[in-house]
Amino acid sequence: MIRNITLRVLAYLLLLIVLVVATCYLLSEGEYIPGVATSILAVGCCFRVVWNVRSVNRKLAYFFQALENDDYSIHFPEYGGSHSERFLNGVLNRIKDILQNTRLEIQQREQYYELIINSVSSGIVALDERGFVTQNNQIALKLLGLEIFTHVNQLERVSPALKLLVTEIRPGESRRVTFTNERGSVQLFVSASRILLKDKPITLLVMNDIENELDEKEIDSWVRLIRVLSHEIMNSIAPVTSLSDTLLSMHSDPEITPDDLKRNTENGLKVISETGKGLISFVESYRKFTRIPRPERELINLNEFIQRAVILSSTEPNFPEVTIDVCIEPEGLKVFADPNLMGQVLLNLMKNAFYALRGREDAHITLSAEHGPTGKVLIRVRDNGPGISPEIMNEIFVPFFTTKEEGSGIGLSVSRQIMRMHGGNLKVSSIEGKETVFTIII
Protein backbone atom coordinates (compact mmCIF):
# COMPACT_ATOMS: atom_id res chain seq x y z
CA MET A 1 0.00 0.00 0.00
CA ILE A 2 2.68 2.49 1.03
CA ARG A 3 4.61 1.48 -2.08
CA ASN A 4 1.57 2.25 -4.29
CA ILE A 5 1.05 5.65 -2.70
CA THR A 6 4.76 6.45 -2.96
CA LEU A 7 4.88 5.48 -6.63
CA ARG A 8 1.85 7.63 -7.32
CA VAL A 9 3.38 10.65 -5.55
CA LEU A 10 6.67 10.11 -7.41
CA ALA A 11 4.81 9.93 -10.70
CA TYR A 12 3.05 13.21 -9.96
CA LEU A 13 6.38 14.78 -8.94
CA LEU A 14 8.05 13.67 -12.18
CA LEU A 15 5.10 14.97 -14.17
CA LEU A 16 5.29 18.23 -12.22
CA ILE A 17 8.99 18.60 -13.07
CA VAL A 18 8.31 17.93 -16.74
CA LEU A 19 5.48 20.47 -16.79
CA VAL A 20 7.59 23.12 -15.05
CA VAL A 21 10.45 22.59 -17.52
CA ALA A 22 8.00 22.67 -20.45
CA THR A 23 6.39 25.85 -19.13
CA CYS A 24 9.75 27.59 -18.80
CA TYR A 25 10.78 26.50 -22.27
CA LEU A 26 7.55 27.57 -23.94
CA LEU A 27 7.51 30.95 -22.21
CA SER A 28 11.13 31.57 -23.19
CA GLU A 29 10.26 30.80 -26.81
CA GLY A 30 7.32 33.21 -26.76
CA GLU A 31 4.71 30.43 -26.87
CA TYR A 32 2.54 32.03 -24.23
CA ILE A 33 -0.68 30.12 -24.73
CA PRO A 34 0.92 26.64 -24.52
CA GLY A 35 3.09 27.91 -21.67
CA VAL A 36 0.05 29.07 -19.66
CA ALA A 37 -1.62 25.72 -20.32
CA THR A 38 1.38 23.74 -19.06
CA SER A 39 1.65 26.02 -16.02
CA ILE A 40 -2.01 25.35 -15.15
CA LEU A 41 -1.34 21.63 -15.48
CA ALA A 42 1.72 22.02 -13.24
CA VAL A 43 -0.37 23.75 -10.54
CA GLY A 44 -2.98 20.98 -10.76
CA CYS A 45 -0.28 18.33 -10.52
CA CYS A 46 1.21 20.10 -7.48
CA PHE A 47 -2.22 20.24 -5.83
CA ARG A 48 -2.66 16.53 -6.52
CA VAL A 49 0.64 15.67 -4.81
CA VAL A 50 -0.27 17.70 -1.73
CA TRP A 51 -3.78 16.25 -1.63
CA ASN A 52 -2.51 12.66 -1.76
CA VAL A 53 -0.04 13.19 1.08
CA ARG A 54 -2.46 15.15 3.26
CA SER A 55 -5.29 12.69 2.59
CA VAL A 56 -3.27 9.79 4.00
CA ASN A 57 -2.07 11.90 6.95
CA ARG A 58 -5.60 13.03 7.79
CA LYS A 59 -6.91 9.49 7.64
CA LEU A 60 -4.13 8.19 9.90
CA ALA A 61 -4.58 11.10 12.33
CA TYR A 62 -8.32 10.46 12.51
CA PHE A 63 -7.69 6.74 13.04
CA PHE A 64 -5.24 7.18 15.92
CA GLN A 65 -7.32 9.92 17.53
CA ALA A 66 -10.34 7.60 17.56
CA LEU A 67 -8.28 4.82 19.16
CA GLU A 68 -6.92 7.26 21.74
CA ASN A 69 -10.51 8.14 22.71
CA ASP A 70 -11.50 4.43 22.88
CA ASP A 71 -13.79 4.91 19.88
CA TYR A 72 -13.89 1.59 18.05
CA SER A 73 -16.99 2.45 16.01
CA ILE A 74 -14.88 3.90 13.18
CA HIS A 75 -14.99 2.09 9.85
CA PHE A 76 -13.36 3.00 6.53
CA PRO A 77 -15.12 2.05 3.25
CA GLU A 78 -13.44 -0.78 1.42
CA TYR A 79 -15.41 -0.24 -1.81
CA GLY A 80 -14.96 2.60 -4.26
CA GLY A 81 -11.94 4.81 -4.75
CA SER A 82 -8.56 3.74 -6.01
CA HIS A 83 -6.97 0.38 -5.29
CA SER A 84 -4.45 1.88 -2.86
CA GLU A 85 -7.23 3.68 -0.93
CA ARG A 86 -9.25 0.48 -0.62
CA PHE A 87 -6.15 -1.36 0.51
CA LEU A 88 -5.30 1.30 3.15
CA ASN A 89 -8.89 1.31 4.47
CA GLY A 90 -8.89 -2.48 4.79
CA VAL A 91 -5.62 -2.48 6.71
CA LEU A 92 -6.87 0.22 9.12
CA ASN A 93 -10.12 -1.68 9.70
CA ARG A 94 -8.23 -4.89 10.49
CA ILE A 95 -5.88 -3.07 12.91
CA LYS A 96 -8.92 -1.55 14.62
CA ASP A 97 -10.54 -5.01 15.01
CA ILE A 98 -7.34 -6.51 16.45
CA LEU A 99 -6.94 -3.67 18.98
CA GLN A 100 -10.63 -3.86 19.92
CA ASN A 101 -10.47 -7.62 20.55
CA THR A 102 -7.25 -7.21 22.55
CA ARG A 103 -8.85 -4.51 24.70
CA LEU A 104 -11.90 -6.69 25.36
CA GLU A 105 -9.63 -9.57 26.41
CA ILE A 106 -7.72 -7.26 28.77
CA GLN A 107 -10.97 -5.98 30.30
CA GLN A 108 -12.23 -9.53 30.82
CA ARG A 109 -8.91 -10.52 32.38
CA GLU A 110 -9.00 -7.50 34.69
CA GLN A 111 -12.53 -8.43 35.78
CA TYR A 112 -11.34 -11.99 36.39
CA TYR A 113 -8.39 -10.86 38.53
CA GLU A 114 -10.59 -8.37 40.39
CA LEU A 115 -13.04 -11.17 41.17
CA ILE A 116 -10.19 -13.30 42.53
CA ILE A 117 -8.83 -10.43 44.64
CA ASN A 118 -12.26 -9.74 46.12
CA SER A 119 -12.73 -13.45 46.89
CA VAL A 120 -9.68 -13.82 49.15
CA SER A 121 -10.09 -13.40 52.91
CA SER A 122 -7.16 -10.98 53.24
CA GLY A 123 -7.15 -7.26 52.53
CA ILE A 124 -5.00 -6.35 49.50
CA VAL A 125 -3.76 -2.84 48.66
CA ALA A 126 -1.35 -1.85 45.85
CA LEU A 127 0.46 1.51 46.14
CA ASP A 128 2.70 3.39 43.72
CA GLU A 129 5.76 5.44 44.71
CA ARG A 130 3.68 8.58 45.34
CA GLY A 131 1.30 6.81 47.71
CA PHE A 132 -1.61 6.53 45.28
CA VAL A 133 -3.71 3.37 45.51
CA THR A 134 -3.69 1.51 42.20
CA GLN A 135 -5.71 -1.49 43.37
CA ASN A 136 -7.56 -2.69 46.48
CA ASN A 137 -10.26 -5.18 47.37
CA GLN A 138 -13.42 -4.96 49.43
CA ILE A 139 -11.86 -6.76 52.42
CA ALA A 140 -9.18 -4.05 52.65
CA LEU A 141 -11.82 -1.31 52.64
CA LYS A 142 -13.75 -3.14 55.36
CA LEU A 143 -10.66 -3.60 57.55
CA LEU A 144 -9.69 0.07 57.15
CA GLY A 145 -13.24 1.33 57.59
CA LEU A 146 -13.16 3.25 54.29
CA GLU A 147 -15.64 3.42 51.44
CA ILE A 148 -13.06 4.69 48.93
CA PHE A 149 -9.28 4.43 49.26
CA THR A 150 -7.23 6.44 46.79
CA HIS A 151 -4.16 7.69 48.73
CA VAL A 152 -2.27 6.80 51.91
CA ASN A 153 -3.02 10.25 53.35
CA GLN A 154 -6.58 9.03 53.95
CA LEU A 155 -5.19 6.67 56.61
CA GLU A 156 -4.45 9.70 58.81
CA ARG A 157 -8.18 9.84 59.59
CA VAL A 158 -8.27 6.10 60.31
CA SER A 159 -5.15 5.92 62.50
CA PRO A 160 -1.89 7.92 62.46
CA ALA A 161 -0.08 4.74 63.56
CA LEU A 162 -1.51 2.86 60.58
CA LYS A 163 -0.43 5.58 58.15
CA LEU A 164 3.07 5.56 59.67
CA LEU A 165 3.26 1.78 59.28
CA VAL A 166 2.15 1.88 55.63
CA THR A 167 4.62 4.65 54.73
CA GLU A 168 7.57 3.07 56.57
CA ILE A 169 7.11 -0.65 55.90
CA ARG A 170 9.65 -2.14 53.51
CA PRO A 171 9.31 -5.07 51.07
CA GLY A 172 9.69 -8.38 52.90
CA GLU A 173 8.68 -6.90 56.27
CA SER A 174 5.66 -7.80 58.39
CA ARG A 175 4.30 -5.53 61.12
CA ARG A 176 1.38 -5.33 63.52
CA VAL A 177 -0.75 -2.31 64.32
CA THR A 178 -3.76 -1.77 66.57
CA PHE A 179 -6.31 1.00 66.14
CA THR A 180 -9.96 1.72 66.92
CA ASN A 181 -12.72 2.51 64.47
CA GLU A 182 -16.51 2.34 64.45
CA ARG A 183 -16.32 -1.48 64.48
CA GLY A 184 -14.23 -1.43 67.65
CA SER A 185 -10.61 -2.43 68.19
CA VAL A 186 -8.81 -3.73 65.10
CA GLN A 187 -5.46 -5.51 65.21
CA LEU A 188 -3.92 -5.80 61.75
CA PHE A 189 -0.97 -7.90 60.62
CA VAL A 190 0.47 -6.22 57.51
CA SER A 191 2.96 -7.85 55.10
CA ALA A 192 4.66 -5.94 52.28
CA SER A 193 6.17 -7.02 48.96
CA ARG A 194 7.22 -5.18 45.82
CA ILE A 195 6.70 -5.82 42.11
CA LEU A 196 7.53 -3.93 38.93
CA LEU A 197 4.58 -2.91 36.76
CA LYS A 198 5.55 -1.21 33.49
CA ASP A 199 9.01 -0.58 34.99
CA LYS A 200 7.43 1.26 37.93
CA PRO A 201 7.70 -0.15 41.48
CA ILE A 202 4.41 -1.10 43.13
CA THR A 203 4.18 -1.91 46.85
CA LEU A 204 1.71 -4.71 47.61
CA LEU A 205 0.26 -4.79 51.14
CA VAL A 206 -1.57 -7.84 52.51
CA MET A 207 -3.65 -7.20 55.65
CA ASN A 208 -5.22 -9.68 58.07
CA ASP A 209 -7.33 -9.05 61.15
CA ILE A 210 -5.39 -11.03 63.77
CA GLU A 211 -7.86 -10.44 66.58
CA ASN A 212 -10.79 -12.01 64.76
CA GLU A 213 -8.68 -14.95 63.59
CA LEU A 214 -7.42 -15.54 67.14
CA ASP A 215 -10.96 -15.31 68.49
CA GLU A 216 -12.22 -17.87 65.99
CA LYS A 217 -9.34 -20.27 66.69
CA GLU A 218 -9.73 -19.79 70.43
CA ILE A 219 -13.47 -20.53 70.22
CA ASP A 220 -12.78 -23.60 68.11
CA SER A 221 -10.19 -24.83 70.64
CA TRP A 222 -12.60 -24.30 73.52
CA VAL A 223 -15.36 -26.15 71.70
CA ARG A 224 -13.10 -29.13 71.10
CA LEU A 225 -11.78 -29.01 74.68
CA ILE A 226 -15.30 -28.89 76.14
CA ARG A 227 -16.28 -31.80 73.90
CA VAL A 228 -13.39 -33.90 75.25
CA LEU A 229 -14.05 -32.86 78.85
CA SER A 230 -17.77 -33.66 78.51
CA HIS A 231 -16.96 -37.04 77.01
CA GLU A 232 -14.53 -38.01 79.79
CA ILE A 233 -16.73 -36.74 82.61
CA MET A 234 -19.87 -38.39 81.21
CA ASN A 235 -18.00 -41.67 80.83
CA SER A 236 -17.24 -41.50 84.56
CA ILE A 237 -20.52 -40.10 85.87
CA ALA A 238 -22.89 -42.28 83.83
CA PRO A 239 -21.85 -45.66 85.35
CA VAL A 240 -21.76 -44.14 88.85
CA THR A 241 -25.32 -42.83 88.47
CA SER A 242 -26.53 -46.13 87.03
CA LEU A 243 -24.85 -48.15 89.77
CA SER A 244 -26.23 -45.87 92.49
CA ASP A 245 -29.76 -46.33 91.17
CA THR A 246 -29.25 -50.08 91.09
CA LEU A 247 -28.04 -50.16 94.72
CA LEU A 248 -30.95 -48.00 95.86
CA SER A 249 -33.44 -50.31 94.16
CA MET A 250 -31.79 -53.34 95.77
CA HIS A 251 -32.12 -51.80 99.26
CA SER A 252 -35.86 -51.35 98.70
CA ASP A 253 -36.31 -54.93 97.40
CA PRO A 254 -37.52 -57.21 100.25
CA GLU A 255 -36.63 -60.38 98.35
CA ILE A 256 -32.83 -59.71 98.46
CA THR A 257 -31.10 -61.40 101.41
CA PRO A 258 -28.88 -59.31 103.75
CA ASP A 259 -25.77 -61.22 102.62
CA ASP A 260 -26.48 -60.54 98.91
CA LEU A 261 -27.28 -56.93 99.69
CA LYS A 262 -24.02 -56.51 101.64
CA ARG A 263 -21.94 -58.17 98.93
CA ASN A 264 -23.51 -56.16 96.08
CA THR A 265 -23.23 -52.93 98.07
CA GLU A 266 -19.52 -53.51 98.75
CA ASN A 267 -18.81 -54.30 95.09
CA GLY A 268 -20.80 -51.28 93.95
CA LEU A 269 -19.01 -48.95 96.36
CA LYS A 270 -15.63 -50.26 95.14
CA VAL A 271 -16.62 -49.45 91.54
CA ILE A 272 -17.85 -46.01 92.59
CA SER A 273 -14.60 -45.42 94.52
CA GLU A 274 -12.40 -46.47 91.58
CA THR A 275 -14.43 -44.36 89.14
CA GLY A 276 -14.22 -41.37 91.48
CA LYS A 277 -10.45 -41.74 91.81
CA GLY A 278 -10.16 -41.93 88.03
CA LEU A 279 -12.16 -38.72 87.71
CA ILE A 280 -9.95 -37.04 90.34
CA SER A 281 -6.87 -38.17 88.39
CA PHE A 282 -8.39 -36.71 85.22
CA VAL A 283 -9.02 -33.38 86.95
CA GLU A 284 -5.44 -33.40 88.26
CA SER A 285 -4.24 -33.87 84.70
CA TYR A 286 -6.23 -30.81 83.68
CA ARG A 287 -4.70 -28.82 86.55
CA LYS A 288 -1.26 -29.96 85.42
CA PHE A 289 -2.06 -28.76 81.90
CA THR A 290 -3.06 -25.30 83.15
CA ARG A 291 -0.20 -24.85 85.66
CA ILE A 292 3.04 -25.08 83.72
CA PRO A 293 5.84 -23.16 85.49
CA ARG A 294 7.66 -20.33 83.76
CA PRO A 295 10.86 -21.43 81.99
CA GLU A 296 14.12 -20.89 83.87
CA ARG A 297 16.49 -20.68 80.94
CA GLU A 298 20.12 -21.61 80.64
CA LEU A 299 22.47 -22.66 77.84
CA ILE A 300 21.91 -26.30 76.90
CA ASN A 301 24.41 -28.33 74.91
CA LEU A 302 22.07 -30.27 72.62
CA ASN A 303 24.50 -33.12 72.05
CA GLU A 304 24.68 -33.92 75.78
CA PHE A 305 20.99 -33.13 76.26
CA ILE A 306 19.80 -35.55 73.56
CA GLN A 307 22.20 -38.30 74.63
CA ARG A 308 20.83 -38.01 78.18
CA ALA A 309 17.27 -38.29 76.81
CA VAL A 310 18.24 -41.50 74.97
CA ILE A 311 19.55 -43.00 78.24
CA LEU A 312 16.35 -42.02 80.08
CA SER A 313 14.30 -43.68 77.33
CA SER A 314 16.00 -47.03 77.97
CA THR A 315 13.16 -47.91 80.36
CA GLU A 316 10.78 -48.30 77.42
CA PRO A 317 9.77 -51.98 76.96
CA ASN A 318 10.83 -52.15 73.30
CA PHE A 319 14.02 -50.08 73.71
CA PRO A 320 16.35 -53.01 72.72
CA GLU A 321 14.45 -53.54 69.46
CA VAL A 322 14.71 -49.92 68.28
CA THR A 323 17.71 -48.45 66.44
CA ILE A 324 18.41 -44.85 67.49
CA ASP A 325 20.51 -42.42 65.43
CA VAL A 326 21.61 -39.00 66.68
CA CYS A 327 22.74 -36.21 64.34
CA ILE A 328 23.68 -32.75 65.66
CA GLU A 329 24.92 -30.06 63.23
CA PRO A 330 27.08 -28.36 64.35
CA GLU A 331 28.25 -30.75 67.06
CA GLY A 332 28.42 -28.03 69.74
CA LEU A 333 24.96 -26.60 68.97
CA LYS A 334 23.34 -24.93 72.00
CA VAL A 335 19.97 -23.42 72.87
CA PHE A 336 18.86 -21.08 75.64
CA ALA A 337 15.99 -22.90 77.36
CA ASP A 338 14.72 -24.55 80.54
CA PRO A 339 16.44 -27.98 80.61
CA ASN A 340 13.73 -29.58 82.78
CA LEU A 341 10.80 -28.42 80.65
CA MET A 342 12.67 -29.13 77.42
CA GLY A 343 13.55 -32.58 78.76
CA GLN A 344 9.85 -33.19 79.48
CA VAL A 345 8.99 -32.31 75.86
CA LEU A 346 11.71 -34.45 74.29
CA LEU A 347 11.02 -37.46 76.52
CA ASN A 348 7.32 -37.27 75.74
CA LEU A 349 8.02 -37.24 71.98
CA MET A 350 10.42 -40.18 72.31
CA LYS A 351 7.90 -42.09 74.42
CA ASN A 352 5.30 -41.59 71.70
CA ALA A 353 7.80 -42.75 69.07
CA PHE A 354 8.59 -45.95 71.02
CA TYR A 355 4.85 -46.58 71.45
CA ALA A 356 4.29 -46.21 67.69
CA LEU A 357 7.10 -48.71 66.95
CA ARG A 358 5.78 -51.57 69.10
CA GLY A 359 6.10 -54.91 67.30
CA ARG A 360 7.98 -53.45 64.32
CA GLU A 361 11.09 -55.41 63.29
CA ASP A 362 12.95 -52.57 61.53
CA ALA A 363 12.03 -49.96 64.19
CA HIS A 364 14.10 -46.81 63.81
CA ILE A 365 14.20 -43.41 65.57
CA THR A 366 16.29 -40.48 64.36
CA LEU A 367 17.06 -37.54 66.65
CA SER A 368 18.50 -34.50 64.89
CA ALA A 369 19.18 -30.83 65.63
CA GLU A 370 20.21 -28.02 63.29
CA HIS A 371 19.84 -24.32 62.55
CA GLY A 372 16.67 -23.52 60.61
CA PRO A 373 16.47 -21.04 57.70
CA THR A 374 15.13 -18.30 60.01
CA GLY A 375 17.93 -18.70 62.57
CA LYS A 376 15.89 -20.79 65.02
CA VAL A 377 17.02 -24.25 66.14
CA LEU A 378 15.05 -27.26 64.87
CA ILE A 379 15.05 -30.45 66.93
CA ARG A 380 13.38 -33.36 65.13
CA VAL A 381 12.17 -36.73 66.42
CA ARG A 382 11.53 -39.02 63.45
CA ASP A 383 10.18 -42.59 63.60
CA ASN A 384 9.31 -45.06 60.86
CA GLY A 385 6.08 -46.14 62.51
CA PRO A 386 2.58 -46.35 61.00
CA GLY A 387 2.19 -42.58 60.83
CA ILE A 388 -0.81 -40.47 61.78
CA SER A 389 -4.02 -40.56 59.76
CA PRO A 390 -5.30 -37.25 58.35
CA GLU A 391 -8.53 -37.69 60.33
CA ILE A 392 -6.78 -37.26 63.70
CA MET A 393 -3.86 -35.06 62.62
CA ASN A 394 -5.72 -31.91 63.68
CA GLU A 395 -6.77 -33.44 67.00
CA ILE A 396 -3.49 -34.67 68.48
CA PHE A 397 -2.67 -31.34 70.16
CA VAL A 398 -6.18 -30.97 71.65
CA PRO A 399 -6.05 -31.48 75.44
CA PHE A 400 -7.16 -34.95 76.62
CA PHE A 401 -7.41 -36.35 73.08
CA THR A 402 -5.62 -39.69 72.92
CA THR A 403 -5.55 -42.87 70.86
CA LYS A 404 -3.75 -44.84 73.60
CA GLU A 405 -5.69 -47.17 75.86
CA GLU A 406 -3.99 -45.81 79.00
CA GLY A 407 -3.05 -42.35 77.75
CA SER A 408 -4.07 -39.12 79.49
CA GLY A 409 -4.14 -37.07 76.27
CA ILE A 410 -2.25 -34.10 77.66
CA GLY A 411 1.35 -34.96 76.73
CA LEU A 412 1.41 -33.25 73.33
CA SER A 413 -0.78 -30.37 74.53
CA VAL A 414 1.57 -29.65 77.44
CA SER A 415 4.61 -30.05 75.18
CA ARG A 416 3.32 -27.51 72.65
CA GLN A 417 2.41 -25.10 75.47
CA ILE A 418 5.92 -25.44 76.93
CA MET A 419 7.49 -24.62 73.57
CA ARG A 420 5.22 -21.60 73.08
CA MET A 421 6.25 -20.35 76.53
CA HIS A 422 9.83 -20.52 75.17
CA GLY A 423 8.80 -18.40 72.18
CA GLY A 424 8.93 -21.44 69.92
CA ASN A 425 6.52 -24.10 68.72
CA LEU A 426 5.95 -27.82 68.26
CA LYS A 427 4.83 -29.08 64.85
CA VAL A 428 4.13 -32.46 63.31
CA SER A 429 4.22 -33.94 59.84
CA SER A 430 3.39 -37.50 58.92
CA ILE A 431 3.16 -39.84 55.95
CA GLU A 432 0.65 -42.55 56.80
CA GLY A 433 2.24 -45.98 56.67
CA LYS A 434 5.77 -44.58 56.45
CA GLU A 435 6.90 -42.08 59.13
CA THR A 436 6.06 -39.36 61.64
CA VAL A 437 8.24 -36.32 62.38
CA PHE A 438 7.78 -34.01 65.39
CA THR A 439 9.76 -30.77 65.12
CA ILE A 440 10.65 -28.64 68.17
CA ILE A 441 11.23 -25.05 67.07
CA ILE A 442 13.10 -22.81 69.50
Side-chain angles (χ1 to χ4, degrees):
M1 175 205 63
I2 301 297
R3 183 165 175 252
N4 291 338
I5 295 174
T6 304
L7 290 174
R8 185 190 302 175
V9 172
L10 288 175
Y12 280 122
L13 287 175
L14 289 175
L15 180 58
L16 176 62
I17 293 171
V18 171
L19 291 172
V20 170
V21 172
T23 299
C24 294
Y25 175 76
L26 292 172
L27 291 175
S28 64
E29 294 294 329
E31 300 289 339
Y32 296 106
I33 295 177
V36 170
T38 55
S39 65
I40 292 173
L41 291 175
V43 171
C45 187
C46 182
F47 174 79
R48 192 67 181 177
V49 170
V50 174
W51 184 87
N52 272 280
V53 174
R54 294 189 62 184
S55 175
V56 174
N57 290 342
R58 282 196 304 270
K59 186 173 293 188
L60 292 176
Y62 174 72
F63 176 75
F64 289 115
Q65 186 177 9
L67 295 182
E68 186 178 3
N69 294 326
D70 293 331
D71 180 11
Y72 292 95
S73 63
I74 56 173
H75 183 79
F76 299 98
E78 299 184 28
Y79 302 97
S82 64
H83 173 73
S84 58
E85 288 177 338
R86 294 195 304 271
F87 185 83
L88 175 61
N89 292 345
V91 169
L92 293 178
N93 288 332
R94 284 193 292 277
I95 293 175
K96 183 264 296 183
D97 291 338
I98 292 172
L99 293 176
Q100 185 177 15
N101 292 333
T102 302
R103 183 171 181 79
L104 288 174
E105 290 178 3
I106 293 174
Q107 289 177 344
Q108 292 173 352
R109 194 171 300 152
E110 287 178 349
Q111 293 174 355
Y112 172 71
Y113 291 144
E114 186 175 355
L115 181 63
I116 293 176
I117 290 174
N118 284 314
S119 298
V120 300
S121 58
S122 299
I124 298 175
V125 176
L127 302 170
D128 64 13
E129 288 183 301
R130 298 178 297 167
F132 285 97
V133 178
T134 61
Q135 185 73 43
N136 63 71
N137 64 354
Q138 293 298 321
I139 298 297
L141 295 178
K142 183 178 179 181
L143 291 174
L144 298 174
L146 298 172
E147 293 184 1
I148 299 175
F149 187 26
T150 58
H151 196 275
V152 293
N153 288 338
Q154 292 177 252
L155 298 178
E156 184 71 31
R157 293 185 286 109
V158 179
S159 167
L162 178 60
K163 179 189 175 184
L164 183 64
L165 180 148
V166 171
T167 54
E168 289 186 349
I169 195 169
R170 295 291 176 263
E173 288 185 347
S174 296
R175 297 189 185 183
R176 298 184 183 185
V177 62
T178 302
F179 59 92
T180 303
N181 60 18
E182 59 185 11
R183 298 192 299 118
S185 177
V186 180
Q187 186 178 2
L188 289 185
F189 184 76
V190 184
S191 300
S193 58
R194 179 163 294 183
I195 60 174
L196 286 177
L197 186 63
K198 297 180 180 179
D199 295 328
K200 293 182 179 179
I202 298 293
T203 300
L204 189 66
L205 302 178
V206 179
M207 306 176 179
N208 289 286
D209 189 343
I210 302 176
E211 192 169 351
N212 285 345
E213 289 186 4
L214 292 177
D215 287 345
E216 291 176 3
K217 291 181 179 179
E218 184 178 359
I219 290 172
D220 183 60
S221 297
W222 276 110
V223 168
R224 291 192 291 173
L225 175 58
I226 291 171
R227 189 184 299 125
V228 173
L229 288 172
S230 301
H231 176 74
E232 293 294 332
I233 293 174
M234 289 301 297
N235 283 347
S236 299
I237 295 297
V240 169
T241 303
S242 176
L243 187 57
S244 300
D245 291 339
T246 301
L247 293 176
L248 287 173
S249 64
M250 291 175 63
H251 274 271
S252 60
D253 188 351
E255 296 183 0
I256 297 180
T257 63
D259 291 338
D260 290 339
L261 183 62
K262 179 182 178 182
R263 184 177 65 258
N264 289 329
T265 301
E266 289 177 351
N267 292 335
L269 290 175
K270 285 181 182 178
V271 173
I272 292 174
S273 175
E274 291 174 358
T275 304
K277 289 177 181 178
L279 188 57
I280 290 173
S281 175
F282 174 77
V283 174
E284 286 296 326
S285 297
Y286 177 76
R287 293 178 61 187
K288 180 180 178 182
F289 172 72
T290 58
R291 294 185 179 181
I292 300 174
R294 286 189 171 276
E296 296 181 2
R297 304 181 185 228
E298 60 182 70
L299 275 178
I300 302 174
N301 185 305
L302 286 181
N303 201 347
E304 299 174 359
F305 178 74
I306 291 177
Q307 293 293 348
R308 185 163 59 249
V310 173
I311 295 174
L312 292 174
S313 299
S314 61
T315 57
E316 295 296 324
N318 58 334
F319 181 83
E321 289 80 35
V322 178
T323 302
I324 301 177
D325 289 333
V326 178
C327 179
I328 312 294
E329 290 291 341
E331 188 175 348
L333 184 60
K334 297 180 180 180
V335 294
F336 191 59
D338 187 316
N340 295 321
L341 293 177
M342 281 284 293
Q344 181 180 342
V345 173
L346 186 58
L347 285 174
N348 182 61
L349 297 180
M350 293 184 67
K351 183 177 180 179
N352 290 343
F354 278 106
Y355 183 86
L357 294 171
R358 292 173 305 167
R360 190 178 183 94
E361 295 182 357
D362 59 340
H364 193 107
I365 294 177
T366 302
L367 303 172
S368 63
E370 62 181 356
H371 281 294
T374 60
K376 293 188 176 182
V377 174
L378 307 179
I379 304 172
R380 292 188 176 92
V381 179
R382 186 190 307 269
D383 69 73
N384 63 337
I388 303 174
S389 65
E391 290 78 15
I392 66 173
M393 179 69 79
N394 294 329
E395 306 289 337
I396 61 174
F397 289 109
V398 176
F400 311 109
F401 175 85
T402 181
T403 57
K404 300 178 183 177
E405 295 179 359
E406 299 179 354
S408 64
I410 67 168
L412 290 176
S413 303
V414 171
S415 296
R416 173 173 272 187
Q417 190 170 344
I418 288 173
M419 295 317 306
R420 285 178 173 170
M421 292 175 69
H422 279 81
N425 205 346
L426 176 62
K427 295 186 177 182
V428 62
S429 62
S430 182
I431 302 175
E432 196 170 5
K434 186 176 181 180
E435 67 173 16
T436 298
V437 182
F438 282 92
T439 303
I440 298 171
I441 304 171
I442 183 170

